[in-house]
Amino acid sequence: AQKITQTQPGMFVQEKEAVTLDCTYDTSDPSYGLFWYKQPSSGEMIFLIYQGSYDQQNATEGRYSLNFQKARKSANLVISASQLGDSAMYFCAMRERQGAQKLVFGQGTRLTINP
Amino acid sequence: GAGVSQSPSNKVTEKGKDVELRCDPISGHTALYWYRQSLGQGLEFLIYFQGNSAPDKSGLPSDRFSAERTGGSVSTLTIQRTQQEDSAVYLCASSFGRGENSPLHFGNGTRLTVT
């Protein structure tokens, strides 16, 4: 069964610093997608970035990049030059090609950016 | 364009009453999902609709929960004989396809409070 693990319940970072949010996963499906979502205090779920299991390069979207290490089954989110508006919950999620097709989420990491 | 729309945004109900939560997905999206998020927790998968296929109901916590999707578009999640433990934010999401690379786009959720 697919599983997502986020081991950092909370992270505190100074503004303008880079931050890495950890995510490990487990699946037996060779084809899968990995996603990161941001959930600010308003509650909306905002899609940030996607990485496919067969992608050769790490995904990047503006200040967001995904450090994908397939052999280690990790998909860490890197936020460069953090801003106060980055304070939010961040969820890692995975969707397999086979099986249930549902998106399975980790427990999330609460990121706080300090001025 | 219009995103995923959920109504009501807030619902307070008495224990034992039935409630209906509505979701209007993004036009053209064939997949629709319901998730539940308890306070400070991750997202718990409830049910998944894909086109005309039989829904994946594997996440429904009890037979008090049911959902339908009419005409391949609008979906209604029904909770019968509500209990206090049903209090949570119910999130609906849709995606363009069923592939592992299709991100889910979320509505703003319905906050359900059972008193």
Side-chain angles (χ1 to χ4, degrees), chain A residues 89 91 107 110, chain B residues 37-42:
Chain A
M89 281 289 287
F91 292 97
Q107 287 301 300
R110 181 170 298 280
Chain B
Q37 187 177 29
S38 300
L39 187 62
Q41 301 297 310

Side-chain angles (χ1 to χ4, degrees), chain B residues 17-82:
Chain B
K17 296 285 181 68
D18 297 352
V19 294
E20 285 189 352
L21 312 180
R22 176 188 167 102
C23 173
D24 200 343
I26 294 173
S27 177
H29 280 195
T30 59
L32 187 147
Y33 299 75
W34 284 97
Y35 286 83
R36 179 170 71 173
Q37 187 177 29
S38 300
L39 187 62
Q41 301 297 310
L43 277 72
E44 174 190 6
F45 167 77
L46 297 178
I47 189 168
Y48 159 57
F49 296 90
Q50 171 60 49
N52 295 322
S53 303
D56 175 358
K57 304 179 182 180
S58 61
L60 294 178
S62 77
D63 59 7
R64 296 186 296 105
F65 288 73
S66 63
E68 63 177 18
R69 188 179 185 191
T70 55
S73 181
V74 172
S75 177
T76 302
L77 177 69
T78 301
I79 309 174
Q80 295 178 311
R81 304 181 301 282
T82 52

